[in-house]
Amino acid sequence: MPNFLLYQQNGPVVTLTMNEPARRNPLTGNTAVADFIEAIERIHNDRSVRAVILTGAGTAFSSGGDIKDMERQANGSIGGMQIRQEYRTGIQRLPLALFNLEVPVIAAVNGAAIGAGMDLACMCDIRIASEHAKFAESFVKLGIIPGDGGAWLLPRLIGLSRASELSFTGDVIGAQQAADWGLVSRVVAADKLLETANELAAKIAANPPHAVRLTKRLLREAMHTRLDTLLEMAASFQALSHQTDDHREAVAAFLEKRAPVFKG
C-alpha cells in the first residue's frame, strides 16, 4: 500500500497532504495513523521546521473512519477488548501526538471534514477553510461516539452548547457557519486555500522559533491547567526566552531601527 501521507518541505514550512483521494482520505483501514506518527516525530526532531500545513488531496479533507473497517468491528469477528486496544494504539495516538508537537499546525480544509476528519482539523492549532469545506461531528449517525478525542477538543473550540448540537445531531455545517461559530479562522476561495495557508505559515516561520514553540506549549497547557500553575510555567519559559540569541537580536534590532534576523 502506498504511503497515505505526503511530506513536502519548503524551507521552514512542511506541508502534509493526505493522499488517498479516491477514498476521500480516510483515517482508518490504511497507513494513515502510522504515517502521521512518523511525520510528527520527524518534524519534532527537525529544528529547521517552524510551521506545518495539513491538507487533503482531491475534493475531501478527510472522510474520517473507513466504513469497511467499521464493518469488521461490528460483525462480531473481534471482541470489544480488542477494539478498545485498537483505538488506544491506533487513532487515539493522533490527538496526543499533535497536542504535544510544539511546531504550529495549520489545517487547510479543502473539502469535507467528517467525523474523525473534523476531529483531525480540531487537533490542529489553526483552521482555515475553502469555501467548499464542510464539517460534521457525525459519529452519532453511525451509532458510535467520538472515539478520537473530539468530545474533548470541540467544546474547547466552539463552546459546549454548539459542540453538543453538532455531536447530538450529526448535522453538516458549511464553511461560513464554521467561521461564524469560531471553528475556523477564515474562509477563502478554493483556489487561494494553499496560498493563504502558506502566507500564514510564512508569517509564523518568520518569528523566533523558540518563542513560537514555547507559546504553543503554553496555549496547549492552558486548555487544562490552573492559572497559578500556568503562570509558574510561563515564568520558566520566559526566563529561557530572555537568554536566547533571537531575543537579543530582537531587542538590538528594535533599538537600531532595523529588521531582525532570527536564526533559531
Side-chain angles (χ1 to χ4, degrees), residues 4-43:
F4 171 83
L5 198 64
L6 300 182
Y7 188 112
Q8 298 169 299
Q9 184 166 356
N10 182 18
V13 178
V14 166
T15 299
L16 300 176
T17 304
M18 294 177 281
N19 191 38
E20 204 172 331
R23 295 206 300 147
R24 298 169 62 81
N25 306 320
L27 297 175
T28 59
N30 54 14
T31 63
V33 171
D35 286 4
F36 267 112
I37 298 302
E38 180 180 348
I40 291 167
E41 185 67 19
R42 179 176 172 184
I43 292 163

PDB file of all heavy atoms in Angstrom, residues 4-43:
ATOM      1  N   PHE A   4       0.151   6.953   2.801  1.00  0.00           N
ATOM      2  CA  PHE A   4      -1.051   7.776   2.852  1.00  0.00           C
ATOM      3  C   PHE A   4      -0.704   9.254   2.887  1.00  0.00           C
ATOM      4  O   PHE A   4      -1.424  10.090   2.333  1.00  0.00           O
ATOM      5  CB  PHE A   4      -1.848   7.392   4.093  1.00  0.00           C
ATOM      6  CG  PHE A   4      -3.007   8.292   4.403  1.00  0.00           C
ATOM      7  CD1 PHE A   4      -4.227   8.115   3.761  1.00  0.00           C
ATOM      8  CD2 PHE A   4      -2.890   9.302   5.349  1.00  0.00           C
ATOM      9  CE1 PHE A   4      -5.307   8.941   4.049  1.00  0.00           C
ATOM     10  CE2 PHE A   4      -3.967  10.130   5.641  1.00  0.00           C
ATOM     11  CZ  PHE A   4      -5.181   9.947   4.991  1.00  0.00           C
ATOM     12  N   LEU A   5       0.390   9.594   3.538  1.00  0.00           N
ATOM     13  CA  LEU A   5       0.713  10.985   3.833  1.00  0.00           C
ATOM     14  C   LEU A   5       1.942  11.433   3.046  1.00  0.00           C
ATOM     15  O   LEU A   5       3.016  10.844   3.168  1.00  0.00           O
ATOM     16  CB  LEU A   5       0.970  11.133   5.339  1.00  0.00           C
ATOM     17  CG  LEU A   5       0.919  12.536   5.934  1.00  0.00           C
ATOM     18  CD1 LEU A   5      -0.488  13.135   5.801  1.00  0.00           C
ATOM     19  CD2 LEU A   5       1.326  12.496   7.406  1.00  0.00           C
ATOM     20  N   LEU A   6       1.778  12.485   2.255  1.00  0.00           N
ATOM     21  CA  LEU A   6       2.900  13.069   1.528  1.00  0.00           C
ATOM     22  C   LEU A   6       3.562  14.131   2.396  1.00  0.00           C
ATOM     23  O   LEU A   6       2.885  14.967   2.999  1.00  0.00           O
ATOM     24  CB  LEU A   6       2.425  13.699   0.222  1.00  0.00           C
ATOM     25  CG  LEU A   6       1.745  12.774  -0.794  1.00  0.00           C
ATOM     26  CD1 LEU A   6       1.371  13.554  -2.050  1.00  0.00           C
ATOM     27  CD2 LEU A   6       2.647  11.601  -1.143  1.00  0.00           C
ATOM     28  N   TYR A   7       4.890  14.099   2.443  1.00  0.00           N
ATOM     29  CA  TYR A   7       5.672  15.012   3.278  1.00  0.00           C
ATOM     30  C   TYR A   7       6.513  15.872   2.348  1.00  0.00           C
ATOM     31  O   TYR A   7       7.380  15.378   1.640  1.00  0.00           O
ATOM     32  CB  TYR A   7       6.560  14.191   4.218  1.00  0.00           C
ATOM     33  CG  TYR A   7       7.310  14.962   5.285  1.00  0.00           C
ATOM     34  CD1 TYR A   7       6.980  14.804   6.629  1.00  0.00           C
ATOM     35  CD2 TYR A   7       8.376  15.807   4.975  1.00  0.00           C
ATOM     36  CE1 TYR A   7       7.673  15.465   7.633  1.00  0.00           C
ATOM     37  CE2 TYR A   7       9.073  16.484   5.966  1.00  0.00           C
ATOM     38  CZ  TYR A   7       8.719  16.313   7.300  1.00  0.00           C
ATOM     39  OH  TYR A   7       9.411  16.972   8.293  1.00  0.00           O
ATOM     40  N   GLN A   8       6.234  17.174   2.343  1.00  0.00           N
ATOM     41  CA  GLN A   8       6.990  18.096   1.495  1.00  0.00           C
ATOM     42  C   GLN A   8       7.479  19.262   2.338  1.00  0.00           C
ATOM     43  O   GLN A   8       6.704  19.835   3.108  1.00  0.00           O
ATOM     44  CB  GLN A   8       6.101  18.617   0.351  1.00  0.00           C
ATOM     45  CG  GLN A   8       5.594  17.531  -0.595  1.00  0.00           C
ATOM     46  CD  GLN A   8       4.515  18.047  -1.523  1.00  0.00           C
ATOM     47  OE1 GLN A   8       3.447  18.486  -1.088  1.00  0.00           O
ATOM     48  NE2 GLN A   8       4.788  18.002  -2.818  1.00  0.00           N
ATOM     49  N   GLN A   9       8.749  19.608   2.181  1.00  0.00           N
ATOM     50  CA  GLN A   9       9.300  20.719   2.946  1.00  0.00           C
ATOM     51  C   GLN A   9       9.820  21.796   2.013  1.00  0.00           C
ATOM     52  O   GLN A   9      10.557  21.523   1.062  1.00  0.00           O
ATOM     53  CB  GLN A   9      10.428  20.246   3.876  1.00  0.00           C
ATOM     54  CG  GLN A   9      10.973  21.380   4.761  1.00  0.00           C
ATOM     55  CD  GLN A   9      11.837  20.876   5.907  1.00  0.00           C
ATOM     56  OE1 GLN A   9      11.985  19.677   6.093  1.00  0.00           O
ATOM     57  NE2 GLN A   9      12.368  21.794   6.695  1.00  0.00           N
ATOM     58  N   ASN A  10       9.407  23.019   2.285  1.00  0.00           N
ATOM     59  CA  ASN A  10       9.882  24.187   1.546  1.00  0.00           C
ATOM     60  C   ASN A  10      10.435  25.172   2.561  1.00  0.00           C
ATOM     61  O   ASN A  10       9.673  25.888   3.217  1.00  0.00           O
ATOM     62  CB  ASN A  10       8.750  24.802   0.734  1.00  0.00           C
ATOM     63  CG  ASN A  10       9.209  25.990  -0.099  1.00  0.00           C
ATOM     64  OD1 ASN A  10      10.402  26.164  -0.348  1.00  0.00           O
ATOM     65  ND2 ASN A  10       8.263  26.812  -0.530  1.00  0.00           N
ATOM     66  N   GLY A  11      11.753  25.169   2.722  1.00  0.00           N
ATOM     67  CA  GLY A  11      12.360  25.999   3.755  1.00  0.00           C
ATOM     68  C   GLY A  11      11.898  25.553   5.125  1.00  0.00           C
ATOM     69  O   GLY A  11      11.965  24.372   5.456  1.00  0.00           O
ATOM     70  N   PRO A  12      11.368  26.500   5.932  1.00  0.00           N
ATOM     71  CA  PRO A  12      10.956  26.126   7.292  1.00  0.00           C
ATOM     72  C   PRO A  12       9.530  25.586   7.391  1.00  0.00           C
ATOM     73  O   PRO A  12       9.061  25.310   8.491  1.00  0.00           O
ATOM     74  CB  PRO A  12      11.064  27.458   8.044  1.00  0.00           C
ATOM     75  CG  PRO A  12      10.740  28.480   7.009  1.00  0.00           C
ATOM     76  CD  PRO A  12      11.296  27.955   5.716  1.00  0.00           C
ATOM     77  N   VAL A  13       8.842  25.440   6.251  1.00  0.00           N
ATOM     78  CA  VAL A  13       7.436  25.025   6.264  1.00  0.00           C
ATOM     79  C   VAL A  13       7.285  23.629   5.681  1.00  0.00           C
ATOM     80  O   VAL A  13       7.754  23.357   4.569  1.00  0.00           O
ATOM     81  CB  VAL A  13       6.555  26.012   5.474  1.00  0.00           C
ATOM     82  CG1 VAL A  13       5.105  25.538   5.464  1.00  0.00           C
ATOM     83  CG2 VAL A  13       6.655  27.412   6.073  1.00  0.00           C
ATOM     84  N   VAL A  14       6.643  22.737   6.422  1.00  0.00           N
ATOM     85  CA  VAL A  14       6.331  21.384   5.952  1.00  0.00           C
ATOM     86  C   VAL A  14       4.847  21.322   5.596  1.00  0.00           C
ATOM     87  O   VAL A  14       4.002  21.791   6.366  1.00  0.00           O
ATOM     88  CB  VAL A  14       6.652  20.324   7.028  1.00  0.00           C
ATOM     89  CG1 VAL A  14       6.011  18.983   6.690  1.00  0.00           C
ATOM     90  CG2 VAL A  14       8.158  20.161   7.171  1.00  0.00           C
ATOM     91  N   THR A  15       4.543  20.766   4.434  1.00  0.00           N
ATOM     92  CA  THR A  15       3.160  20.512   4.043  1.00  0.00           C
ATOM     93  C   THR A  15       2.906  19.015   4.056  1.00  0.00           C
ATOM     94  O   THR A  15       3.615  18.252   3.399  1.00  0.00           O
ATOM     95  CB  THR A  15       2.863  21.079   2.640  1.00  0.00           C
ATOM     96  OG1 THR A  15       3.072  22.496   2.649  1.00  0.00           O
ATOM     97  CG2 THR A  15       1.422  20.793   2.239  1.00  0.00           C
ATOM     98  N   LEU A  16       1.909  18.603   4.825  1.00  0.00           N
ATOM     99  CA  LEU A  16       1.482  17.211   4.889  1.00  0.00           C
ATOM    100  C   LEU A  16       0.170  17.090   4.117  1.00  0.00           C
ATOM    101  O   LEU A  16      -0.798  17.793   4.416  1.00  0.00           O
ATOM    102  CB  LEU A  16       1.265  16.777   6.335  1.00  0.00           C
ATOM    103  CG  LEU A  16       2.476  16.870   7.275  1.00  0.00           C
ATOM    104  CD1 LEU A  16       2.069  16.495   8.700  1.00  0.00           C
ATOM    105  CD2 LEU A  16       3.609  15.990   6.800  1.00  0.00           C
ATOM    106  N   THR A  17       0.144  16.217   3.128  1.00  0.00           N
ATOM    107  CA  THR A  17      -1.049  16.042   2.300  1.00  0.00           C
ATOM    108  C   THR A  17      -1.564  14.617   2.426  1.00  0.00           C
ATOM    109  O   THR A  17      -0.847  13.666   2.101  1.00  0.00           O
ATOM    110  CB  THR A  17      -0.747  16.348   0.822  1.00  0.00           C
ATOM    111  OG1 THR A  17      -0.199  17.662   0.706  1.00  0.00           O
ATOM    112  CG2 THR A  17      -2.024  16.257  -0.018  1.00  0.00           C
ATOM    113  N   MET A  18      -2.785  14.477   2.914  1.00  0.00           N
ATOM    114  CA  MET A  18      -3.424  13.163   2.949  1.00  0.00           C
ATOM    115  C   MET A  18      -3.753  12.776   1.512  1.00  0.00           C
ATOM    116  O   MET A  18      -4.456  13.501   0.818  1.00  0.00           O
ATOM    117  CB  MET A  18      -4.683  13.214   3.824  1.00  0.00           C
ATOM    118  CG  MET A  18      -4.366  13.483   5.288  1.00  0.00           C
ATOM    119  SD  MET A  18      -5.864  13.645   6.327  1.00  0.00           S
ATOM    120  CE  MET A  18      -6.359  15.331   5.923  1.00  0.00           C
ATOM    121  N   ASN A  19      -3.236  11.636   1.075  1.00  0.00           N
ATOM    122  CA  ASN A  19      -3.190  11.350  -0.360  1.00  0.00           C
ATOM    123  C   ASN A  19      -3.866  10.031  -0.721  1.00  0.00           C
ATOM    124  O   ASN A  19      -3.264   9.143  -1.314  1.00  0.00           O
ATOM    125  CB  ASN A  19      -1.732  11.342  -0.839  1.00  0.00           C
ATOM    126  CG  ASN A  19      -1.618  11.311  -2.347  1.00  0.00           C
ATOM    127  OD1 ASN A  19      -2.399  11.941  -3.047  1.00  0.00           O
ATOM    128  ND2 ASN A  19      -0.651  10.572  -2.848  1.00  0.00           N
ATOM    129  N   GLU A  20      -5.138   9.923  -0.337  1.00  0.00           N
ATOM    130  CA  GLU A  20      -5.937   8.794  -0.784  1.00  0.00           C
ATOM    131  C   GLU A  20      -7.286   9.341  -1.281  1.00  0.00           C
ATOM    132  O   GLU A  20      -8.351   9.035  -0.725  1.00  0.00           O
ATOM    133  CB  GLU A  20      -6.134   7.778   0.346  1.00  0.00           C
ATOM    134  CG  GLU A  20      -6.432   6.381  -0.159  1.00  0.00           C
ATOM    135  CD  GLU A  20      -6.435   5.344   0.963  1.00  0.00           C
ATOM    136  OE1 GLU A  20      -5.718   5.533   1.973  1.00  0.00           O
ATOM    137  OE2 GLU A  20      -7.158   4.357   0.818  1.00  0.00           O
ATOM    138  N   PRO A  21      -7.235  10.188  -2.316  1.00  0.00           N
ATOM    139  CA  PRO A  21      -8.433  10.930  -2.722  1.00  0.00           C
ATOM    140  C   PRO A  21      -9.581  10.050  -3.196  1.00  0.00           C
ATOM    141  O   PRO A  21     -10.749  10.427  -3.029  1.00  0.00           O
ATOM    142  CB  PRO A  21      -7.932  11.842  -3.845  1.00  0.00           C
ATOM    143  CG  PRO A  21      -6.686  11.185  -4.358  1.00  0.00           C
ATOM    144  CD  PRO A  21      -6.072  10.539  -3.158  1.00  0.00           C
ATOM    145  N   ALA A  22      -9.284   8.909  -3.772  1.00  0.00           N
ATOM    146  CA  ALA A  22     -10.351   8.039  -4.272  1.00  0.00           C
ATOM    147  C   ALA A  22     -11.255   7.572  -3.145  1.00  0.00           C
ATOM    148  O   ALA A  22     -12.446   7.318  -3.363  1.00  0.00           O
ATOM    149  CB  ALA A  22      -9.755   6.841  -5.011  1.00  0.00           C
ATOM    150  N   ARG A  23     -10.696   7.449  -1.920  1.00  0.00           N
ATOM    151  CA  ARG A  23     -11.495   7.045  -0.750  1.00  0.00           C
ATOM    152  C   ARG A  23     -11.748   8.223   0.192  1.00  0.00           C
ATOM    153  O   ARG A  23     -12.157   8.040   1.326  1.00  0.00           O
ATOM    154  CB  ARG A  23     -10.798   5.914  -0.001  1.00  0.00           C
ATOM    155  CG  ARG A  23     -10.687   4.614  -0.794  1.00  0.00           C
ATOM    156  CD  ARG A  23     -10.590   3.405   0.133  1.00  0.00           C
ATOM    157  NE  ARG A  23      -9.426   3.459   1.003  1.00  0.00           N
ATOM    158  CZ  ARG A  23      -9.389   2.972   2.255  1.00  0.00           C
ATOM    159  NH1 ARG A  23     -10.460   2.398   2.774  1.00  0.00           N
ATOM    160  NH2 ARG A  23      -8.279   3.035   2.963  1.00  0.00           N
ATOM    161  N   ARG A  24     -11.473   9.426  -0.292  1.00  0.00           N
ATOM    162  CA  ARG A  24     -11.720  10.655   0.466  1.00  0.00           C
ATOM    163  C   ARG A  24     -10.887  10.716   1.743  1.00  0.00           C
ATOM    164  O   ARG A  24     -11.314  11.180   2.779  1.00  0.00           O
ATOM    165  CB  ARG A  24     -13.213  10.814   0.758  1.00  0.00           C
ATOM    166  CG  ARG A  24     -14.044  10.927  -0.524  1.00  0.00           C
ATOM    167  CD  ARG A  24     -15.536  10.816  -0.282  1.00  0.00           C
ATOM    168  NE  ARG A  24     -16.056  11.873   0.578  1.00  0.00           N
ATOM    169  CZ  ARG A  24     -16.358  13.105   0.178  1.00  0.00           C
ATOM    170  NH1 ARG A  24     -16.185  13.442  -1.084  1.00  0.00           N
ATOM    171  NH2 ARG A  24     -16.830  13.990   1.021  1.00  0.00           N
ATOM    172  N   ASN A  25      -9.663  10.203   1.635  1.00  0.00           N
ATOM    173  CA  ASN A  25      -8.654  10.346   2.689  1.00  0.00           C
ATOM    174  C   ASN A  25      -9.118   9.866   4.073  1.00  0.00           C
ATOM    175  O   ASN A  25      -9.094  10.626   5.054  1.00  0.00           O
ATOM    176  CB  ASN A  25      -8.199  11.814   2.780  1.00  0.00           C
ATOM    177  CG  ASN A  25      -7.717  12.349   1.455  1.00  0.00           C
ATOM    178  OD1 ASN A  25      -7.037  11.653   0.694  1.00  0.00           O
ATOM    179  ND2 ASN A  25      -8.052  13.593   1.141  1.00  0.00           N
ATOM    180  N   PRO A  26      -9.529   8.586   4.179  1.00  0.00           N
ATOM    181  CA  PRO A  26      -9.955   8.064   5.482  1.00  0.00           C
ATOM    182  C   PRO A  26      -8.761   7.912   6.428  1.00  0.00           C
ATOM    183  O   PRO A  26      -7.608   7.806   5.983  1.00  0.00           O
ATOM    184  CB  PRO A  26     -10.543   6.696   5.129  1.00  0.00           C
ATOM    185  CG  PRO A  26      -9.782   6.271   3.914  1.00  0.00           C
ATOM    186  CD  PRO A  26      -9.543   7.534   3.136  1.00  0.00           C
ATOM    187  N   LEU A  27      -9.059   7.868   7.705  1.00  0.00           N
ATOM    188  CA  LEU A  27      -8.001   7.802   8.721  1.00  0.00           C
ATOM    189  C   LEU A  27      -7.835   6.415   9.320  1.00  0.00           C
ATOM    190  O   LEU A  27      -6.967   6.213  10.172  1.00  0.00           O
ATOM    191  CB  LEU A  27      -8.283   8.811   9.833  1.00  0.00           C
ATOM    192  CG  LEU A  27      -8.286  10.281   9.387  1.00  0.00           C
ATOM    193  CD1 LEU A  27      -8.689  11.188  10.535  1.00  0.00           C
ATOM    194  CD2 LEU A  27      -6.924  10.686   8.835  1.00  0.00           C
ATOM    195  N   THR A  28      -8.665   5.457   8.894  1.00  0.00           N
ATOM    196  CA  THR A  28      -8.530   4.074   9.350  1.00  0.00           C
ATOM    197  C   THR A  28      -8.579   3.154   8.137  1.00  0.00           C
ATOM    198  O   THR A  28      -8.970   3.557   7.043  1.00  0.00           O
ATOM    199  CB  THR A  28      -9.648   3.691  10.340  1.00  0.00           C
ATOM    200  OG1 THR A  28     -10.923   3.844   9.705  1.00  0.00           O
ATOM    201  CG2 THR A  28      -9.594   4.569  11.585  1.00  0.00           C
ATOM    202  N   GLY A  29      -8.178   1.904   8.357  1.00  0.00           N
ATOM    203  CA  GLY A  29      -8.160   0.945   7.269  1.00  0.00           C
ATOM    204  C   GLY A  29      -7.033   1.168   6.286  1.00  0.00           C
ATOM    205  O   GLY A  29      -7.060   0.675   5.155  1.00  0.00           O
ATOM    206  N   ASN A  30      -6.004   1.904   6.702  1.00  0.00           N
ATOM    207  CA  ASN A  30      -4.849   2.200   5.849  1.00  0.00           C
ATOM    208  C   ASN A  30      -3.658   2.531   6.747  1.00  0.00           C
ATOM    209  O   ASN A  30      -3.663   2.204   7.933  1.00  0.00           O
ATOM    210  CB  ASN A  30      -5.173   3.359   4.899  1.00  0.00           C
ATOM    211  CG  ASN A  30      -5.674   4.608   5.641  1.00  0.00           C
ATOM    212  OD1 ASN A  30      -5.543   4.711   6.852  1.00  0.00           O
ATOM    213  ND2 ASN A  30      -6.246   5.543   4.907  1.00  0.00           N
ATOM    214  N   THR A  31      -2.654   3.195   6.200  1.00  0.00           N
ATOM    215  CA  THR A  31      -1.442   3.520   6.970  1.00  0.00           C
ATOM    216  C   THR A  31      -1.495   4.919   7.578  1.00  0.00           C
ATOM    217  O   THR A  31      -0.467   5.435   8.021  1.00  0.00           O
ATOM    218  CB  THR A  31      -0.194   3.415   6.072  1.00  0.00           C
ATOM    219  OG1 THR A  31      -0.282   4.397   5.019  1.00  0.00           O
ATOM    220  CG2 THR A  31      -0.065   2.030   5.474  1.00  0.00           C
ATOM    221  N   ALA A  32      -2.680   5.541   7.605  1.00  0.00           N
ATOM    222  CA  ALA A  32      -2.776   6.947   7.998  1.00  0.00           C
ATOM    223  C   ALA A  32      -2.132   7.233   9.354  1.00  0.00           C
ATOM    224  O   ALA A  32      -1.294   8.136   9.475  1.00  0.00           O
ATOM    225  CB  ALA A  32      -4.242   7.385   8.012  1.00  0.00           C
ATOM    226  N   VAL A  33      -2.525   6.499  10.384  1.00  0.00           N
ATOM    227  CA  VAL A  33      -2.018   6.799  11.725  1.00  0.00           C
ATOM    228  C   VAL A  33      -0.509   6.613  11.790  1.00  0.00           C
ATOM    229  O   VAL A  33       0.213   7.474  12.298  1.00  0.00           O
ATOM    230  CB  VAL A  33      -2.728   5.937  12.783  1.00  0.00           C
ATOM    231  CG1 VAL A  33      -2.055   6.091  14.143  1.00  0.00           C
ATOM    232  CG2 VAL A  33      -4.202   6.323  12.881  1.00  0.00           C
ATOM    233  N   ALA A  34      -0.012   5.507  11.262  1.00  0.00           N
ATOM    234  CA  ALA A  34       1.434   5.262  11.279  1.00  0.00           C
ATOM    235  C   ALA A  34       2.180   6.351  10.519  1.00  0.00           C
ATOM    236  O   ALA A  34       3.247   6.817  10.964  1.00  0.00           O
ATOM    237  CB  ALA A  34       1.737   3.889  10.674  1.00  0.00           C
ATOM    238  N   ASP A  35       1.637   6.780   9.386  1.00  0.00           N
ATOM    239  CA  ASP A  35       2.278   7.837   8.602  1.00  0.00           C
ATOM    240  C   ASP A  35       2.295   9.153   9.376  1.00  0.00           C
ATOM    241  O   ASP A  35       3.291   9.886   9.363  1.00  0.00           O
ATOM    242  CB  ASP A  35       1.555   8.027   7.272  1.00  0.00           C
ATOM    243  CG  ASP A  35       1.836   6.925   6.276  1.00  0.00           C
ATOM    244  OD1 ASP A  35       2.533   5.957   6.641  1.00  0.00           O
ATOM    245  OD2 ASP A  35       1.361   7.019   5.129  1.00  0.00           O
ATOM    246  N   PHE A  36       1.180   9.472  10.031  1.00  0.00           N
ATOM    247  CA  PHE A  36       1.125  10.700  10.816  1.00  0.00           C
ATOM    248  C   PHE A  36       2.139  10.671  11.967  1.00  0.00           C
ATOM    249  O   PHE A  36       2.849  11.657  12.203  1.00  0.00           O
ATOM    250  CB  PHE A  36      -0.279  10.919  11.378  1.00  0.00           C
ATOM    251  CG  PHE A  36      -1.158  11.774  10.517  1.00  0.00           C
ATOM    252  CD1 PHE A  36      -2.260  11.230   9.866  1.00  0.00           C
ATOM    253  CD2 PHE A  36      -0.907  13.122  10.355  1.00  0.00           C
ATOM    254  CE1 PHE A  36      -3.079  12.009   9.063  1.00  0.00           C
ATOM    255  CE2 PHE A  36      -1.725  13.915   9.562  1.00  0.00           C
ATOM    256  CZ  PHE A  36      -2.809  13.358   8.911  1.00  0.00           C
ATOM    257  N   ILE A  37       2.192   9.570  12.677  1.00  0.00           N
ATOM    258  CA  ILE A  37       3.111   9.482  13.811  1.00  0.00           C
ATOM    259  C   ILE A  37       4.558   9.621  13.338  1.00  0.00           C
ATOM    260  O   ILE A  37       5.369  10.332  13.967  1.00  0.00           O
ATOM    261  CB  ILE A  37       2.908   8.152  14.568  1.00  0.00           C
ATOM    262  CG1 ILE A  37       1.483   8.073  15.155  1.00  0.00           C
ATOM    263  CG2 ILE A  37       3.958   7.994  15.663  1.00  0.00           C
ATOM    264  CD1 ILE A  37       1.133   9.196  16.091  1.00  0.00           C
ATOM    265  N   GLU A  38       4.879   8.991  12.231  1.00  0.00           N
ATOM    266  CA  GLU A  38       6.232   9.094  11.686  1.00  0.00           C
ATOM    267  C   GLU A  38       6.542  10.530  11.269  1.00  0.00           C
ATOM    268  O   GLU A  38       7.629  11.054  11.552  1.00  0.00           O
ATOM    269  CB  GLU A  38       6.381   8.163  10.484  1.00  0.00           C
ATOM    270  CG  GLU A  38       7.761   8.189   9.850  1.00  0.00           C
ATOM    271  CD  GLU A  38       7.885   7.265   8.653  1.00  0.00           C
ATOM    272  OE1 GLU A  38       6.975   6.427   8.432  1.00  0.00           O
ATOM    273  OE2 GLU A  38       8.883   7.376   7.913  1.00  0.00           O
ATOM    274  N   ALA A  39       5.597  11.190  10.609  1.00  0.00           N
ATOM    275  CA  ALA A  39       5.808  12.563  10.157  1.00  0.00           C
ATOM    276  C   ALA A  39       5.950  13.512  11.342  1.00  0.00           C
ATOM    277  O   ALA A  39       6.813  14.406  11.337  1.00  0.00           O
ATOM    278  CB  ALA A  39       4.652  12.999   9.269  1.00  0.00           C
ATOM    279  N   ILE A  40       5.105  13.352  12.370  1.00  0.00           N
ATOM    280  CA  ILE A  40       5.170  14.223  13.537  1.00  0.00           C
ATOM    281  C   ILE A  40       6.493  14.046  14.271  1.00  0.00           C
ATOM    282  O   ILE A  40       7.102  15.031  14.721  1.00  0.00           O
ATOM    283  CB  ILE A  40       3.966  13.942  14.460  1.00  0.00           C
ATOM    284  CG1 ILE A  40       2.671  14.407  13.778  1.00  0.00           C
ATOM    285  CG2 ILE A  40       4.130  14.624  15.821  1.00  0.00           C
ATOM    286  CD1 ILE A  40       1.409  13.894  14.444  1.00  0.00           C
ATOM    287  N   GLU A  41       6.955  12.827  14.372  1.00  0.00           N
ATOM    288  CA  GLU A  41       8.254  12.581  15.003  1.00  0.00           C
ATOM    289  C   GLU A  41       9.379  13.230  14.194  1.00  0.00           C
ATOM    290  O   GLU A  41      10.311  13.822  14.763  1.00  0.00           O
ATOM    291  CB  GLU A  41       8.484  11.073  15.132  1.00  0.00           C
ATOM    292  CG  GLU A  41       9.753  10.698  15.894  1.00  0.00           C
ATOM    293  CD  GLU A  41       9.703  11.077  17.369  1.00  0.00           C
ATOM    294  OE1 GLU A  41       8.593  11.299  17.898  1.00  0.00           O
ATOM    295  OE2 GLU A  41      10.785  11.148  17.990  1.00  0.00           O
ATOM    296  N   ARG A  42       9.282  13.135  12.894  1.00  0.00           N
ATOM    297  CA  ARG A  42      10.287  13.750  12.020  1.00  0.00           C
ATOM    298  C   ARG A  42      10.302  15.271  12.202  1.00  0.00           C
ATOM    299  O   ARG A  42      11.372  15.891  12.308  1.00  0.00           O
ATOM    300  CB  ARG A  42       9.982  13.385  10.569  1.00  0.00           C
ATOM    301  CG  ARG A  42      10.931  13.978   9.538  1.00  0.00           C
ATOM    302  CD  ARG A  42      10.564  13.445   8.152  1.00  0.00           C
ATOM    303  NE  ARG A  42      11.320  14.111   7.109  1.00  0.00           N
ATOM    304  CZ  ARG A  42      11.146  13.886   5.795  1.00  0.00           C
ATOM    305  NH1 ARG A  42      10.264  12.988   5.395  1.00  0.00           N
ATOM    306  NH2 ARG A  42      11.867  14.548   4.900  1.00  0.00           N
ATOM    307  N   ILE A  43       9.123  15.866  12.246  1.00  0.00           N
ATOM    308  CA  ILE A  43       9.025  17.310  12.453  1.00  0.00           C
ATOM    309  C   ILE A  43       9.568  17.697  13.824  1.00  0.00           C
ATOM    310  O   ILE A  43      10.308  18.680  13.968  1.00  0.00           O
ATOM    311  CB  ILE A  43       7.561  17.763  12.296  1.00  0.00           C
ATOM    312  CG1 ILE A  43       7.119  17.611  10.841  1.00  0.00           C
ATOM    313  CG2 ILE A  43       7.368  19.201  12.770  1.00  0.00           C
ATOM    314  CD1 ILE A  43       5.616  17.647  10.657  1.00  0.00           C
TER     315      ILE A  43
END
